[in-house]
Amino acid sequence: MAVLSVMDTAAAAVERLDRLAATPRVAKLALAFQKAGHELALVGGPVRDAFLGRPVNDLDFTTSASPDQILEIVVPIAEAHWEVGRAFGTIAARVDGETVEITTYRSDVYDGETRKPEVEFGDTLEGDLIRRDFTVNSMALRLPEKVLVDPSGGVEDLLAGILATPGSAEDSFRDDPLRMMRAARFTSQLGFQVSADVQTAMTERASTLEIVSVERVTDELSKLLKTDDPVPGIRLLVATGIAELVLPELPAMILEADEHHHHKDVYEHSLTVLTQAIGYEKERHPGTPPDLTLRIASLLHDIGKPTTRRLEPGGVVTFHHHDLVGAKMAKRRLKELRFDNDTIAAVYRLIELHLRFFGYTEGGWTDSAVRRYVRDAGDQLERLHMLTRADVTTRNRRKADHLAFAYDDLEDRIAVLREQEELDSLRPDLDGDAIQRILGIKPSREVGEAYRYLLELRTEEGPLGEDEATNRLKAWWDARHQQPGAGGEPADPVA
């Protein structure tokens, strides 16, 4: 049965590769390079995915032609082309409405000291394939002959679900240390296991990742988190010590259990929350791109626990304020990894607020408390819904059901208030211009204070209406200026 399975898989892959090679854009490229006297091969991911039966989205080619020669061949048959990767031997082009990338045979390596590889062009397809990261990515289809080239046994490793390097794993990771993180990503993306020598080399050479630019590391980490199941890759990063360099907060969550086991394993809990958040993400927004912000927040939501852990009298373990501490820690880490400001701000807010809901289960919230929850979450409310639900990992079914029902109730109340009060655009009944006109003051700090006072009223009591808001504002202003040391006389009236 195993032989038949392998044969069936190979036959299906050949059929898919034949169909791919026959598509107009691939056939057009193959003929153009052949006429120019240069080799061309479909390489890497597309060939691998043909064996796995996965959709082929990106077409990568490799060629004996130099970057200048690639341009001479491609420009006449392309609707557009880009030379941003020219220094690395890569030319991108749009052919028949699809983007392709064509790269000169390469054999570049790191020198072990700088953060950028030395770009060297090769002269054979086999030489190019052997220098690639993993055997399953080191297969190519020669065009237009449609001959499979597999110098390092990629087909066998692919069918066995093994991630191995074409040569020595140590040499491969010396050539480009980022390949160690790529191994973690492919573990999750393909559902493969790394070979024993790959894991050993990752462990021994983890520190060499420091020579790789932060941007490349962050990009690879993001790709891992965007896979359908990032957990196996994350476990591999932690097990090999790479996480100590990239996200040291992760292994720090593997707390030693106290003798009474009075707290959960924070690391395992966080991985479960990540998995459950991805489930909610797919359930609520099927077919949309992975939500990197939600996934980062889910993974890091409890990173403040190791710092705030306290053993109280009676053996009770507490983590007071771990939400606020964790939000600050996440902000620092994401800044170091050079994530964009919007992502950093969103993750900070989600971690800061992830415990807020649990107060809802302790006693019914007033409408003002619900409004405050929505106001504080802002545009992160939908993500906060998913994170908070995912944060319930108890095995106690009764407790889990109670929390789920409570959150259902909270979302229902938010929906009702949203319909009644335009909750998503929570603003005072009077704007800044009205405040200045009513109080007879110019733009100043006091206008902001008045605005915040009215916003607090709006949050606590709901819409007041313009007349009532005006009366309350005047009463607040009079009381404020009757208090000793309240700031003296009002500013001059607007002329």
Side-chain angles (χ1 to χ4, degrees), residues 270-283:
S270 299
L271 296 183
T272 301
V273 172
L274 172 60
T275 298
Q276 294 186 165
I278 292 172
Y280 284 120
E281 173 192 327
K282 292 179 178 178
E283 176 185 310

Side-chain angles (χ1 to χ4, degrees), residues 96-132:
D96 287 348
E98 298 286 343
T99 300
V100 300
E101 287 192 354
I102 307 163
T103 302
T104 304
Y105 296 155
R106 278 167 55 175
S107 59
D108 49 285
V109 298
Y110 275 79
D111 62 13
E113 296 179 2
T114 62
R115 291 178 178 266
K116 295 183 179 179
E118 297 176 356
V119 179
E120 295 182 8
F121 297 134
D123 51 15
T124 68
L125 174 58
E126 288 78 7
D128 177 273
L129 295 177
I130 289 175
R131 67 96 192 165
R132 290 176 178 261

